[in-house]
Amino acid sequence: MAHGSDLGRTVLALDDIDRAILAALSADGRLAVRALAERLHISRTNAYARLDRLISEGVITGFGAQIDPRRAGLGTSAYILITVEQTSWRTMSAELREIPYVEHVSLVGGDFDILLLVRTPDNASLRDVVLERLQALDGVRSTRTWLIFEEQAGAAPRV
């Protein structure tokens, strides 16, 4: 069987070098492959091959800058919990991702169906997202908004 295609497996099997690559790139996404190879004591060819495999198998989904939302003009952040009609999640998920300022959309279990992370410039923009855009979607039964007063980064995911 091909690497990572074991029947019934939901995650790719990673070895210590793969995990070291992910840790190094999580700490510095601009790390050159040459520097990555030197840091991990592997050849550049091996580093390129592993990096290509991690990208092609969807383990690494992209590279980007980590942005401070407040300094970028998005000073109001909130988690918004949404209860929806059970048949509307599939059509609604695409609509939610298109709403300006919605950073993250999650289908969750429990008292609510959807959890959004929303970052807006101000309270008026947040009000527009909740009252004008979210509550106007077909299938939304209710929303609950939790303002975020302060955020702290946690430990990076361990792989």
Side-chain angles (χ1 to χ4, degrees):
M1 254 181 233
H3 184 73
S5 64
D6 296 342
L7 191 59
R9 283 191 65 93
T10 58
V11 295
L12 180 68
L14 301 176
D15 64 16
D16 289 340
I17 294 173
D18 291 334
R19 285 188 286 279
I21 288 170
L22 296 175
L25 291 175
S26 292
D28 182 1
R30 299 186 309 168
L31 192 62
V33 175
R34 179 179 176 185
L36 179 65
E38 289 172 2
R39 184 175 294 177
L40 302 179
H41 307 292
I42 61 175
S43 70
R44 277 190 279 172
T45 303
N46 189 5
Y48 274 111
R50 285 174 175 270
L51 189 57
D52 285 344
R53 181 180 53 79
L54 290 169
I55 292 169
S56 69
E57 292 183 354
V59 176
I60 296 175
T61 58
F63 298 87
Q66 293 179 350
I67 298 167
D68 182 315
R70 290 187 186 278
R71 291 181 185 236
L74 301 174
T76 300
S77 297
Y79 289 111
I80 301 173
L81 302 165
I82 306 172
T83 302
V84 299
E85 295 172 7
Q86 294 305 307
T87 58
S88 63
W89 162 248
R90 292 197 193 297
T91 57
M92 188 176 296
S93 66
E95 293 175 282
L96 291 170
R97 290 189 312 267
E98 296 299 318
I99 295 174
Y101 307 119
V102 172
E103 183 173 310
H104 186 84
V105 178
S106 296
L107 176 64
V108 296
D111 293 337
F112 295 88
D113 302 305
I114 300 169
L115 173 66
L116 303 180
L117 173 57
V118 176
R119 299 188 189 277
T120 64
D122 51 38
N123 288 350
S125 300
L126 178 61
R127 178 193 180 285
D128 179 68
V129 168
V130 175
L131 298 180
E132 302 299 328
R133 296 177 183 267
L134 291 177
Q135 292 184 0
L137 294 175
D138 286 336
V140 170
R141 287 186 177 169
S142 67
T143 62
R144 181 176 292 172
T145 303
W146 292 349
L147 288 175
I148 299 171
F149 294 129
E150 184 177 328
E151 294 181 81
Q152 302 293 321
R158 294 181 186 233
V159 238

